[in-house]
Amino acid sequence: MLDAVRAVTGPFGAHFTFESTGLTDCMAQAVSAARPGGIAVLLGMAPGPCARALDNIADIILQEKVITGSPMGSGYSARDFAVLVRDCLEGPSSSTSSSPGVVLWARSTRPPPT
């Protein structure tokens, strides 16, 4: 998965990553795929301890990555994930750009700010 993210973003990684499976390996990939200063949003609930997501803690700290959680109760995943994926691939549409609760972002190959 990291190779696919790098193919789109260059060597920098994604501004935001979202993980919704609750699998610790996927959580670790979401954190690794975030660029320096990027945000990994963990939506899935791991069935047990998930220290695997923090295996690279030194990189997380030195690259100032942010890991946050978000319960799925704050959105409608069947609608919102489709909108997020479409907007990521095609750019924001006018019908969703002002919708509350829908996060939009742009692909970028620019380096992170220094």
Side-chain angles (χ1 to χ4, degrees), residues 53-98:
L54 301 176
D55 278 352
N56 56 347
I57 193 72
D59 288 339
I60 294 167
I61 294 168
L62 293 173
Q63 295 179 16
E64 299 179 346
K65 293 183 180 183
V66 175
I67 302 171
T68 189
S70 179
M72 288 305 296
S74 60
Y76 178 62
S77 60
R79 176 200 63 215
D80 296 343
F81 276 122
V83 170
L84 290 170
V85 170
R86 186 198 65 223
D87 287 352
C88 180
L89 296 174
E90 301 173 4
S93 68
S94 59
S95 64
T96 60
S97 60
S98 61

Side-chain angles (χ1 to χ4, degrees), residues 4-5 7-8 19-21 32 41 44 47-48 55 59 64 69 72 79 91 93-94 97 103-104:
V5 171
V8 174
E19 190 290 319
S20 62
T21 67
S32 293
V41 182
D55 278 352
D59 288 339
E64 299 179 346
M72 288 305 296
R79 176 200 63 215
S93 68
S94 59
S97 60
V103 178
L104 305 175

Side-chain angles (χ1 to χ4, degrees), residues 39-57:
I39 300 172
V41 182
L42 307 181
L43 305 163
M45 296 297 292
C50 57
R52 166 84 175 92
L54 301 176
D55 278 352
N56 56 347
I57 193 72

